[in-house]
């Protein structure tokens, strides 16, 4: 079974990789296995799910003054939604993601960007290469080594912004995440550890120990609007985090359970609307 996402378990460096066998029995680093999971429905993720973070990207880029003359790296860049926006704002852009399928889409969206398939725990750029590093829902609890790498590639005084779901009341996806965790007990602990970044002070402690002064914590809204049940299912089936649950339950039962979880958010015309808070934490490198 692939690791759920990036996760603490994948924080091993390539010099000391934690290896996991892929389906052909070939040992590959955890980050690459996670990347395969995140690429399992790459176009659905890119065009259906990933736009959820548009407002968070806009809010963070405004705070970081992304524009001409700024060098920006997006870590766990997925299919490049944020990088494409940074490119349109005139920044010099780079990105890294574990999923080759998502990076292929990012290359089409942001042709001028320096895009790499690889691990957030070993960035292939020299020290002090960037003015700003962002990670939109890509760096989670236990990913301290990724924050340290972000510090290394930032110039002194450069900014790091990380976003994550929640915490707090406004998270319509909560029952979906609980469903994923409780359906496959072996991944429940991993999901809890990832979500830990939302607990008060956790992100701030990760920033501090990597050499950042936290300058602010803000919240954006991520609204997911879905036209009908088929659209809703394809969208919520697309993140890599669903893979263990989908494999465990099988397609039919997984679909039935997903639509059951979404039922409270279905309107009389059959569409769905989920409103979610996305928190951002911004730090400045000392
Ligand atoms: C929730 S998605 C976030 C994607 C995008 N930033 C967004 O705003 O939607 C998590 C991303 O982390 C990537 N990822 C997982 N583990 C990784 C690792 N160790 N190094 C780099 N990327 C990783 C996945 O491939 C996936 O694209």
């Amino acid at each position: 079974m692939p690791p759920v996402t990036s996760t603490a378990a994948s924080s091993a460096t390539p010099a000391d990789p934690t290896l996991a066998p892929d389906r052909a029995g070939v040992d590959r680093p955890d980050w690459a296995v996670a990347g395969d999971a995140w690429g399992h429905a790459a176009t659905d993720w890119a065009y259906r799910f990933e736009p959820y973070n548009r407002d968070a990207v806009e809010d963070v880029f405004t705070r970081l003054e992304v524009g001409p003359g700024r060098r920006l790296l997006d870590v766990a860049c997925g299919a490049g939604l944020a990088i494409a926006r940074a490119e349109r704002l005139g920044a010099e852009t780079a990105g890294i993601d574990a999923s080759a399928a998502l990076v292929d889409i990012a290359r089409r969206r942001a042709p001028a960007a320096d895009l790499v398939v690889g691990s957030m725990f070993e960035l292939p750029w020299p020290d002090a290469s960037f003015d700003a590093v962002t990670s939109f829902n890509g760096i989670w609890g236990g990913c301290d080594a990724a924050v340290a790498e972000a510090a290394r590639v930032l110039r002194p005084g450069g900014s790091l912004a990380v976003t994550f779901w929640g915490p707090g009341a406004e998270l319509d996806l909560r029952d979906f995440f609980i469903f994923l965790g409780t359906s496959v007990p072996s991944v429940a602990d991993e999901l809890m550890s990832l979500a830990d970044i939302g607990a008060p002070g956790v992100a701030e402690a990760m920033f501090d120990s990597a050499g950042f002064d936290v300058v602010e914590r803000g919240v954006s809204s991520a609204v997911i609007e879905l036209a009908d049940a088929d659209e809703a299912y394809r969208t919520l089936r697309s993140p890599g985090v669903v893979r263990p649950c989908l494999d465990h339950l099988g397609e039919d039962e997984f679909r039935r359970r997903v639509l059951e979880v979404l039922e409270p958010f279905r309107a009389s015309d059959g569409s769905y609307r989920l409103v979610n808070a996305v928190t951002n934490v911004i730090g400045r490198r000392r």
Side-chain angles (χ1 to χ4, degrees):
M1 181 185 298
V4 172
T5 61
S6 52
T7 82
S10 343
S11 65
T13 66
D16 177 26
T18 300
L19 298 173
D22 68 8
R23 288 199 179 85
V26 179
D27 281 347
R28 303 171 68 233
D30 271 359
W31 67 262
V33 179
D36 290 347
W38 277 96
H40 85 116
T43 52
D44 283 340
W45 170 262
Y47 307 122
R48 291 189 155 84
F49 206 129
E50 203 176 61
Y52 77 99
N53 235 354
R54 241 182 248 286
D55 288 352
V57 168
E58 212 55 50
D59 292 346
V60 164
F61 282 0
T62 302
R63 309 307 293 171
L64 299 187
E65 300 178 345
V66 173
R70 303 276 280 171
R71 298 162 303 168
L72 177 122
L73 169 67
D74 191 36
V75 170
C77 64
L81 183 95
I83 291 180
R85 178 67 186 138
E87 217 178 78
R88 282 195 299 279
L89 289 169
E92 197 179 308
T93 54
I96 187 165
D97 195 275
S99 166
L102 295 182
V103 170
D104 275 350
I105 296 172
R107 289 194 172 113
R108 297 203 294 272
R109 281 176 162 168
D114 175 15
L115 293 171
V116 175
V117 178
S119 170
M120 65 171 90
F121 304 110
E122 193 187 51
L123 300 177
W125 290 279
D127 297 358
S129 303
F130 298 100
D131 303 301
V133 174
T134 52
S135 188
F136 295 95
N137 291 27
I139 291 180
W140 293 93
C143 294
D144 302 62
V147 180
E149 269 295 83
R152 181 185 65 74
V153 300
L154 272 171
R155 65 163 170 80
S159 299
L160 170 66
V162 167
T163 74
F164 44 86
W165 292 117
E170 196 174 55
L171 187 62
D172 288 348
L173 283 171
R174 180 176 286 110
D175 284 348
F176 175 65
F177 293 136
I178 290 172
F179 154 64
L180 295 180
T182 51
S183 300
V184 188
S186 60
V187 302
D189 287 351
E190 194 180 349
L191 284 173
M192 290 295 285
S193 143
L194 296 175
D196 194 41
I197 196 166
V202 170
E204 283 79 357
M206 290 167 78
F207 273 50
D208 182 57
S209 54
F212 290 97
D213 291 325
V214 172
V215 292
E216 67 179 274
R217 176 184 260 256
V219 180
S220 305
S221 191
V223 180
I224 301 175
E225 293 174 320
L226 305 155
D228 55 31
D230 286 341
E231 177 75 14
Y233 179 60
R234 283 187 70 166
T235 304
L236 290 211
R237 183 191 180 279
S238 67
V241 72
V242 311
R243 222 33 260 200
C245 189
L246 177 57
D247 290 346
H248 180 70
L249 295 178
E251 192 85 48
D252 291 348
E253 178 63 4
F254 183 72
R255 179 184 162 109
R256 191 188 69 73
R257 298 281 297 278
V258 168
L259 293 180
E260 192 177 272
V261 166
L262 290 182
E263 187 58 25
F265 306 103
R266 193 162 66 91
S268 54
D269 65 359
S271 68
Y272 299 77
R273 181 180 167 85
L274 291 89
V275 180
N276 302 280
V278 173
T279 295
N280 65 69
V281 174
I282 299 179
R284 185 163 301 120
R285 187 182 177 292
R286 292 193 278 270

